[in-house]
Amino acid sequence: MSRLSSEPVAGLPAAREITAAAARVDELTAVLPGPGQRSPEQRTAVTEARRHARDLVDAFLRSHVDRLYDEVTGDRSRFLRLDEVCAAVAEAVPGLVPTRAQVDAELRLIPTEKEGLDIDQSILVGHLLRSDVAGPHLLEAMRRPTARALSLLPEFTRTGVAALDAVRVEVHDGAAHLTMQRDDCLNAEDNAQVEDMETAVDLAMLAPSVRVGVLRGGVMTHPRYAGRRVFSAGINLRCLQAGQISYVDFLLRRELGYIAKIVHGLSGERDRAWDGDVVQKPWIAAVDSFAIGGGAQLVLACDRVVAERDAFFSLPAAQEGIVPGLGNLRLGRVANGRLSRQVILAGRRVSASEPDGKLFFDEVVPAEEMDAAVAAEVARMDAPAVVANRRMLNLAEEPQDWFRAYLAEFAVQQARRLYSEDVMHKVTRFAAAPRAAAVTG
């Protein structure tokens, strides 16, 4: 046993203080109106009670995060995904983080009526990822194949096709073509699309016949782009406005899940082998029309990028009030510091046809030549030494310790931004915006 004592962490005096402080917060909010209807004095009372409870949690985790993680994972013998870890911790130390039922209930509320439970989860996640014991184990757990993908794998291996709601996967000549097909909203991502994207990436990584992955947007029915392919409009702002973007199952899952799998590979039992034999494959992004926000983050995760001549790249998260995932970390690979700040802080769009477009797009071709250009890139990436060399490039550019340290801070900063006054104002404004504006970021 790696834990110092067999006594459950809930029995520690500090854990009991957390449970008591959380109970006081619940008692207070139970007799008050919802967050949007509280008086300034009531808001101050809740804020102070929550701050006290969160200070206790932070102090507790500074001393006991590894012991807590070992308890809920059986001394790291079980690989729990992040949502499972949060649910297990909620049971192990009541009040430290919200229960699954509390999280689900909050997800049904508009942002101005939420209690900010994501912030409580962020404190735990930040400590877990900063830990040299818990952090690497959690990252490995999140890069394992999902149960859904494993259940679909036999049929996918047999047919070479997987038709998911948001993504269609087809295998042709050793390449898995993942076509994002949220045609009504310009492939703007929500919880459901992240679920389908991770399943699709897992299938492509697991299928023996697949040697290269290709990400591309399908043909849209959205009125502004009807009949055209679109790569991605980023986060679905309508879902964000409705409070339906999950902190753990969207904002963190996409970074630790399918995007991490694209960059760092699929983990498994062989992850501890002497040769580090994890599943890695090269990935190509084919960008039609635009890659905005989360779509731009996907571009930065891929090894090669083909774009149509009129396409553009942008990361407008600062204008939306949030942090663009790992975009801040990965943009520096391709752009200098000044250009990175222009893109992220000032909202600059970079078109494929301008000189700086060469930093984001490897091949730029007319729309009618996209299919041929993608095929040429697949052939280029389907070479014996590509996998080993992309692995070493990613190791040099994004070591796991850097990746983990960034994610630990991102987990906290993103949760705080979600409940900031300016974001609350923006999501309220999006509710009244025309549908086209609300999904393009």
Side-chain angles (χ1 to χ4, degrees):
M1 296 282 287
S2 65
R3 296 194 297 272
L4 297 177
S5 168
S6 59
E7 178 190 12
V9 289
L12 297 174
R16 293 196 295 269
E17 284 188 64
I18 288 170
T19 301
R24 288 193 291 271
V25 172
D26 290 343
E27 291 167 2
L28 177 61
T29 57
V31 300
L32 294 178
Q37 289 76 48
R38 289 172 189 162
S39 68
E41 293 77 16
Q42 289 170 334
R43 287 197 293 270
T44 297
V46 173
T47 297
E48 290 178 353
R50 287 199 183 281
R51 182 177 295 280
H52 173 67
R54 288 166 178 165
D55 285 346
L56 292 175
V57 169
D58 182 63
F60 175 82
L61 291 173
R62 288 179 188 277
S63 299
H64 302 293
V65 66
D66 290 336
R67 180 175 170 182
L68 176 62
Y69 188 76
D70 277 359
E71 181 171 311
V72 301
T73 61
D75 292 319
R76 283 161 280 145
S77 64
R78 295 188 296 144
F79 289 87
L80 302 182
R81 290 178 65 85
L82 184 56
D83 63 316
E84 296 172 322
V85 171
C86 289
V89 167
E91 290 188 10
V93 182
L96 194 149
V97 289
T99 65
R100 195 185 298 272
Q102 289 174 314
V103 171
D104 290 344
E106 181 125 315
L107 196 59
R108 294 191 288 269
L109 300 174
I110 61 173
T112 53
E113 291 300 322
K114 294 179 185 289
E115 295 286 358
L117 303 184
D118 299 336
I119 295 174
D120 299 283
Q121 291 180 311
S122 78
I123 298 170
L124 170 65
V125 175
H127 279 283
L128 289 172
L129 290 172
R130 289 188 184 95
S131 165
D132 292 336
V133 174
H137 189 270
L138 178 58
L139 292 185
E140 182 183 345
M142 289 298 292
R143 291 196 355 257
R144 292 199 162 204
T146 63
R148 183 187 183 204
L150 292 172
S151 70
L152 295 174
L153 183 60
E155 180 69 7
F156 178 70
T157 301
R158 185 181 69 82
T159 65
V161 176
L164 310 174
D165 288 340
V167 190
R168 182 176 176 84
V169 191
E170 297 185 38
V171 180
H172 302 290
D173 300 322
H177 294 260
L178 281 63
T179 303
M180 297 173 281
Q181 52 186 21
R182 294 291 296 278
D183 57 300
D184 62 325
C185 64
L186 308 179
N187 288 324
E189 280 190 296
D190 56 17
N191 287 12
Q193 184 158 337
V194 167
E195 167 76 26
D196 282 355
M197 284 293 287
E198 183 160 16
T199 301
V201 168
D202 282 354
L203 291 173
M205 299 288 272
L206 290 167
S209 63
V210 173
R211 299 182 297 279
V212 180
V214 179
L215 299 175
R216 193 174 185 183
V219 176
M220 299 291 104
T221 59
H222 187 283
R224 286 179 59 182
Y225 291 88
R228 291 180 56 183
R229 284 182 181 264
V230 166
F231 188 71
S232 174
I235 195 170
N236 190 314
L237 297 178
R238 282 200 175 276
C239 289
L240 183 65
Q241 178 273 324
Q244 295 168 355
I245 294 296
S246 169
Y247 172 72
V248 167
D249 289 329
F250 178 94
L251 292 169
L252 295 181
R253 176 179 178 176
R254 73 187 299 273
E255 304 300 342
L256 279 72
Y258 83 87
I259 298 181
K261 290 172 179 178
I262 287 173
V263 176
H264 296 292
L266 203 67
S267 68
E269 296 302 324
R270 292 285 296 170
D271 216 21
R272 293 182 174 80
W274 62 269
D275 55 357
D277 187 20
V278 299
V279 179
Q280 297 220 18
K281 296 177 182 180
W283 287 86
I284 298 163
V287 180
D288 301 273
S289 300
F290 51 72
I292 298 175
Q297 295 166 36
L298 283 178
V299 166
L300 294 173
C302 288
D303 301 291
R304 298 283 292 178
V305 184
V306 180
E308 66 162 317
R309 190 163 47 202
D310 295 332
F312 68 86
F313 173 106
S314 72
L315 278 169
Q319 285 68 51
E320 294 165 0
I322 56 178
V323 181
L326 269 82
N328 298 17
L329 177 67
R330 292 177 177 143
L331 189 58
R333 293 181 180 180
V334 299
N336 59 43
R338 186 56 51 200
L339 179 55
S340 296
R341 282 163 173 75
Q342 291 172 7
V343 169
I344 291 176
L345 303 183
R348 175 182 169 183
R349 291 183 173 186
V350 180
S351 68
S353 56
E354 67 177 282
D356 283 340
K358 295 178 181 178
L359 298 173
F360 302 93
F361 308 111
D362 298 295
E363 298 289 337
V364 179
V365 299
E368 62 272 16
E369 297 179 16
M370 281 289 288
D371 290 347
V374 170
E377 285 297 337
V378 168
R380 184 176 287 116
M381 291 295 98
D382 190 11
V386 165
V387 171
N389 279 289
R390 73 168 309 264
R391 178 181 184 138
M392 300 311 294
L393 284 167
N394 286 332
L395 179 64
E397 294 172 343
E398 192 174 292
Q400 284 293 290
D401 285 348
W402 291 10
F403 176 64
R404 185 161 55 84
Y406 180 96
L407 281 169
E409 187 64 21
F410 167 75
V412 175
Q413 294 302 325
Q414 188 73 301
R416 293 180 64 188
R417 290 306 307 155
L418 289 175
Y419 294 94
S420 61
E421 185 176 346
D422 61 301
V423 171
M424 290 295 105
H425 174 73
K426 286 182 174 69
V427 297
T428 302
R429 178 169 52 84
F430 289 143
R435 187 170 183 274
V439 296
T440 55

